[in-house]
Amino acid sequence: MLQMSVNSGADAAPKGAFARTLAQLPEGEAGVLDRLDLPDDIARRLMELGFLPGHIIVPARSAPGGEPRVYRVDGSEVALRRETASRLILRPSKGAA
Amino acid sequence: MSDCHDCDGCAVAVAPPPLHKGARTHVVAIIGPPNSGKSTLFNRLTGLRQKVANFPGVTVEQRVGKAKMDKAKTPHHSEVVLVDLPGVYSLSPRSEDEQVTHDVLAGTMPGIPKPDALLLILDCTNLGRHLVLAAPILSLKLPTLVILNMADDLKNRGGHVDTAELASELGSPVALVSATKGQGVEKVFQFMEGTSAGTTSLAPPRVELPILQDIPRCRQWAHDIGTGAAYRAPAPPIWTRRLDSVFLHPIAGPLIFLMVVAGVFQTIFKGAKPLMDGLQALIQTSGQWIEHILPPSIFRSLLVDGIWSGIGAVIVFLPQILLLFLFIGILEDSGYLARAALIADRTMSKFGLQGKSFIPLISAYACAVPAIMATRTIENKRDRLATILIAPFMTCSARLPVYTLIIAAFIADRPLIGHFFGMQAGALLGLYVLGFVAAIATARLLKSSILKSERVPFVLEMPPYRWPTLRSLSLRLIDRSKVFLRRAGTVILLVIVVLWVLENLPVKNGQPPEIADSFAGMIGHAVEPAIKPLGFNWKIGIGLISSIAAREVIVGTLGTIYHKEGTSESVGLREALRSDLTPGGAIALLVFFAFAMQCMSTIAVVRRETGGWKWPAIQFAYMTFLAYICALITNQVVRSGIFT
């Protein structure tokens, strides 16, 4: 239920600009994380794994069916479900460094 | 704690006996993030001189061992006590693992003295991220050795770090180590010699430590430290990428996964069989041998039918446990287990579980005991507990003799679909489905009630592929066998002996009584009113009591009661049951066995794995309640004649 509402974009892009989530980033394309739209506790856990604002994340292979997907971040590979990845908001692609 | 007396490793951990005045034990804790090679290093330093228990009151496993020191250099401590802490990324106590780590380091963990020194182990192929943990550790101001593990990987993949510079930045000694290969381990021993002799002096870090709550700032701090030590990250692991393109291929990946799962299942289901039969035969023959050399008496019966067969009931699990853990060891150490969990996750998430629950649950079709032990690979505590609680619903091999006997006695073998699939096969399949449905329904119930997580996300780190080492595999097998024999085996043995007492006392004219007149028989009669609505009589009541030892025991017990051969192929026993039980009672018995937790070994293992009697008690009550209600409904429905 949760992931559907997020995917439909109901609560996305509060800044007005079109902000993509990590779940929408195609395999192999680099994105820069802007913020984690998650409760503080969960966000901290992901940050400890390298999902920090400003870090580059590259989606890699996924399980059959498209999720969970492996993400290359901060020197390691971590798999997330779509419901989590869709809460990680990326910077607009121009800002990708 | 009371059951610790039989090992030498724990004496120190539980209550350190002062050997000499002033020479109190020197405790060194090993700390590091998950996948940093902490346990490998711990095994390197201690070898077989270790013991496993749970930290008091929690499911977190506590491993304490001893490292032998050079007597000439450390006159006061010939050995150092090593505590392996759970893998953590920070010291803020949010999870059970972090709480345990926090408590041990603060010296508030009961039974474990505050560590005198620390070994901080970090994966140097990922130093930027792992160095973050150095900040809270160094702020503890304990003598600390920073161990950069996987040094061989770093070198092979073109990475570099200046250890001398890093040491002066951090104010702590730094050692490059490869724990799997044993390279650089002597530096760890040198450090422990220094701390135990009290010759190590603390140097303040040259760099300022960051504010620990601010993760981005800590990460930046770690980056700056790495840059200062000329850290060059290694190239990505080429072989891991190549292997992932096969193992996580959209088509080949799932196929390989299914083959691996089928292999695991086949091995523990079929491969363990000859070994188990062999062990059973050995116990039986030696039991008979004891019977021959001793004069007949009640004590001989206690020795042979009670204690000796109890020992047999314990060791008969070893082949399955060893084979399953050999497999899991290879899968986990090679890195494939994380990939398998990734592939299975989508399916398992539909039941409120996750990918890592898959292999334990499949194993439970052979036996819940090794399966529950295998849940240790699930890091998320709630998912692990949910998996433990539903595993006994899977139709294990011990249910088969009961199913075979009752189905053969009460269900006519008429063709159901064609000639190959008859009513009897259909009934057996139905029982498998019944167990599976109960398992997933329970999983959903748990995840929406008592195990409702605060939406902890599924996070799975993908370690690089590595060759499993023989050393690590064999240590794991020894470790698991010891844990099972000591922690679960004692309970199983005790229950078997108690059951023997119930079935063989009170003595009549110096002879053991007919089973109907024994304590077990009395209990059977006493519970008859309660089980009568299910269509069971007092004989089934005795059978149910005896089957607490193991489900299949009911077949032998019923044989004794009816004076027939007590096997599932026994024609005489089938006829006796047919004339004594109603069809409703018989089908209800099948349903009862599908749901009830009639297995002391499972209860003992759940107790050991969850660190107390609370969960096995809840589980036993829940499963027995479910079995009772469903058997009751079954009997009433069949009796009412809806299906005839």
Side-chain angles (χ1 to χ4, degrees), chain B residues 42 124 185 205 239 259 263 293 305 339 347 388 438 440 447 590:
Chain B
F42 178 79
C124 67
V185 174
W239 272 105
M259 271 157 54
I293 56 167
D305 302 326
R339 276 75 185 178
T347 315
I388 289 176
I440 57 173
K447 295 297 275 189
L590 288 176

Side-chain angles (χ1 to χ4, degrees), chain A residues 16-91:
Chain A
F18 177 68
R20 285 194 298 177
T21 71
L22 186 58
Q24 293 161 322
L25 195 64
E27 186 175 327
E29 200 175 296
V32 179
L33 186 65
D34 185 44
R35 62 203 162 82
L36 299 92
D37 185 15
L38 286 162
D40 192 49
D41 246 29
I42 297 172
R44 289 181 75 89
R45 183 151 304 283
L46 290 175
M47 289 203 284
E48 284 168 2
L49 287 162
F51 291 94
L52 280 160
H55 273 195
I56 297 170
I57 308 174
V58 183
R61 291 190 170 269
S62 76
E67 72 154 340
R69 184 175 288 282
V70 179
Y71 294 96
R72 292 194 184 121
V73 58
D74 205 1
S76 55
E77 301 197 334
V78 181
L80 300 177
R81 284 184 187 160
R82 191 175 289 137
E83 61 180 13
T84 312
S86 63
R87 293 305 195 96
L88 303 192
I89 318 294
L90 300 177
R91 283 186 191 161

Side-chain angles (χ1 to χ4, degrees), chain B residues 175-463:
Chain B
L176 266 174
V177 163
S178 167
T180 38
K181 298 198 173 133
Q183 290 161 1
V185 174
E186 71 284 349
K187 284 176 253 173
V188 182
F189 276 102
Q190 277 163 18
F191 170 77
M192 292 193 295
E193 278 157 12
T195 59
S196 65
T199 53
T200 311
S201 54
L202 271 173
R206 200 178 70 199
V207 291
E208 203 178 318
L209 294 176
I211 302 151
L212 301 176
Q213 277 68 39
D214 190 342
I215 299 177
R217 187 125 351 134
C218 286
R219 180 62 187 84
Q220 185 60 44
W221 174 83
H223 175 82
D224 295 344
I225 299 283
T227 312
Y231 177 63
R232 188 170 69 238
I238 306 169
W239 272 105
T240 292
R241 299 268 163 102
R242 282 185 191 154
L243 286 171
D244 268 344
S245 69
V246 178
F247 290 132
L248 294 180
H249 185 271
I251 296 154
L255 284 177
I256 295 170
F257 170 75
L258 286 178
M259 271 157 54
V260 169
V261 169
V264 172
F265 186 67
Q266 187 72 9
T267 310
I268 50 170
F269 204 73
K270 293 265 165 64
K273 191 95 179 36
L275 286 167
M276 293 168 81
D277 289 348
L279 273 176
Q280 242 154 359
L282 195 71
I283 286 287
Q284 229 162 24
T285 327
S286 52
Q288 282 162 357
W289 180 73
I290 299 172
E291 214 158 29
H292 274 297
I293 56 167
L294 290 178
S297 71
I298 192 97
F299 297 106
R300 186 182 77 173
S301 170
L302 171 65
L303 192 65
V304 176
D305 302 326
I307 296 169
W308 198 249
S309 74
I311 292 171
V314 173
I315 63 166
V316 80
F317 285 106
L318 279 182
Q320 282 184 336
I321 289 173
L322 290 176
L323 281 171
L324 181 61
F325 275 94
L326 179 65
F327 259 108
I328 288 189
I330 294 171
L331 294 181
E332 194 170 26
D333 291 359
S334 68
Y336 184 74
L337 196 68
R339 276 75 185 178
L342 185 76
I343 291 172
D345 184 66
R346 215 170 129 88
T347 315
M348 300 307 288
S349 70
K350 294 197 175 91
F351 310 133
L353 295 169
Q354 56 136 303
K356 286 207 167 177
S357 309
F358 191 80
I359 287 191
L361 286 181
I362 282 291
S363 320
Y365 275 105
C367 179
V369 170
I372 286 166
M373 293 175 75
T375 59
R376 223 163 247 296
T377 53
I378 307 169
E379 291 94 0
N380 183 315
K381 294 286 177 294
R382 280 159 194 271
D383 289 344
R384 174 158 175 244
L385 194 53
T387 311
I388 289 176
L389 294 179
I390 67 167
F393 278 117
M394 300 304 188
T395 305
C396 68
S397 49
R399 284 183 175 97
L400 280 177
V402 191
Y403 288 173
T404 319
L405 174 70
I406 307 289
I407 288 174
F410 285 90
I411 293 174
D413 203 14
R414 285 198 297 265
L416 196 66
I417 311 164
H419 279 292
F420 293 104
F421 196 72
M423 294 270 283
Q424 293 190 342
L428 189 61
L429 183 67
L431 288 166
Y432 270 88
V433 173
L434 204 59
F436 179 73
V437 170
I440 57 173
T442 305
R444 284 185 160 246
L445 183 72
L446 285 169
K447 295 297 275 189
S448 61
S449 59
I450 46 172
L451 292 184
K452 192 170 190 169
S453 51
E454 54 280 9
R455 291 199 71 78
V456 177
F458 172 76
V459 174
L460 185 65
E461 269 196 86
M462 296 286 164

Side-chain angles (χ1 to χ4, degrees), chain B residues 601-617:
Chain B
S601 312
T602 307
I603 297 171
V605 161
V606 173
R607 178 206 149 226
R608 143 71 204 160
E609 293 295 316
T610 58
W613 285 109
K614 177 185 155 195
W615 288 108

